[in-house]
Amino acid sequence: MVEQGADEMLAGPNDDDIAILVVGDPFGATTHSDLMLRAKEKGMGVEVIHNVSIMNAVGCCGLQLYSYGETVSICFFTDEWKPDSFYAKIRENRKRGLHTLCLLDIKVKEMTVEEMMKGKYGKFQPPRYMTVNQCIEQLMEIEEIRNEGVYDWDTVCVGLARVGQPTQTLKAGTMRELLNEDFGGPLHSFVIAGDCHFFRDR
Amino acid sequence: MVEQGADEMLAGPNDDDIAILVVGDPFGATTHSDLMLRAKEKGMGVEVIHNVSIMNAVGCCGLQLYSYGETVSICFFTDEWKPDSFYAKIRENRKRGLHTLCLLDIKVKEMTVEEMMKGKYGKFQPPRYMTVNQCIEQLMEIEEIRNEGVYDWDTVCVGLARVGQPTQTLKAGTMRELLNEDFGGPLHSFVIAGDCHFFRDR
């Protein structure tokens, strides 16, 4: 993990070339921006090679990239914690007819609160990747609570899985239609469509 | 040009593999979506390899990708035609504290109206690529006309040139500061910052 290994990577003197491979674009995560700034402070040369990101690869679902509004993150809800800042952002996007890309939560190397309190570091939960189905459930849970009519079961959406891989799967439909669709393994993403102008009858 | 060569590429029968290389992500342009749909209609297999796009590579300027609003296009103004739909979009983005990526106009293989009227096809104007400086001039021209205070000479912006190339140049500053900065050759892009939370004093 970059977070834990950064100090070691930045500890000089070091004549080695160090490569960091990331999923998506290097600047999609603040962690990498921070790492670059720290390396430059130490006088280390840094070369960035940009990469495809879901922020642009999502164009494959047919909704035009320049008609997306602010991107939102959907975090796994717990009984005590249901962060819903995405709701207001989706509302503002939809008011303006814009699509919303939802980035779905990933839990890797996470510890339970109990284990942390016991001080048992290094014992991790199994990895979890939010599915399109879980995303729809959580979106509708918040719509029921907030009840502002930002979206409903008939809102047109697109579920995406493993974009750019040979097994890539894209399915468009209403929230209701996609709720029980099987998208297969991770990673999943989700788009809530804004205003659409269909240029093909399909 | 893909637009002119599409019919030839799609004319069957053809056992050849055809590769189309594009700048940015293939789905950044409707032209490519259309080409893919037409190829699939003819039963041709299509494989898409996603690519870096300015829509995500712009992350290199340090402003977080998930804090961007709708992307806008800035077209070359003429004496008769000054399209300003970007103004309302920038206003809505800034109201919400979001950054705006401005895609700057490119004129390649363009003909003058006079040549077109004479029917002299094939005689093209020299290519033109909008600079950061021209972009700022046009933005301020529209602000003076519309006068809604969406941005002003003191608004913080970032000019970007040749992102991803070894000669990449990024400069942050106010509109006033960047107006006369030299960014070198094409392609240029421009970002109007929304709310910023500086996490380094630099």
Side-chain angles (χ1 to χ4, degrees), chain A residues 20 36 47 66 89 96 106 112 120 140 143 162 199:
Chain A
I20 304 176
M36 186 184 75
E47 186 180 354
Y66 45 74
K89 292 175 183 176
R96 295 164 63 191
I106 294 173
T112 62
K120 288 188 180 171
M140 293 311 301
E143 177 57 60
R162 302 173 304 286
F199 84 112

Side-chain angles (χ1 to χ4, degrees), chain B residues 10-57:
Chain B
L10 295 169
N14 194 334
D15 291 331
D16 296 339
D17 287 337
I18 302 174
I20 304 177
L21 304 178
V22 305
V23 175
D25 192 83
F27 294 116
T30 328
T31 306
H32 305 139
S33 310
D34 176 64
L35 190 62
M36 187 184 75
L37 292 177
R38 288 171 66 188
K40 285 189 169 177
E41 270 172 7
K42 289 185 173 261
M44 297 164 77
V46 178
E47 188 181 353
V48 174
I49 298 169
H50 287 284
N51 185 24
V52 177
S53 161
I54 188 65
M55 309 281 281
N56 65 281

Side-chain angles (χ1 to χ4, degrees), chain A residues 34 41 51 56 200 202, chain B residues 34 41 51 56 200 202:
Chain A
D34 176 65
E41 271 172 6
N51 185 23
N56 65 279
R200 285 290 174 99
R202 56 172 77 204
Chain B
D34 176 64
E41 270 172 7
N51 185 24
N56 65 281
R200 286 291 174 96
R202 57 172 74 204

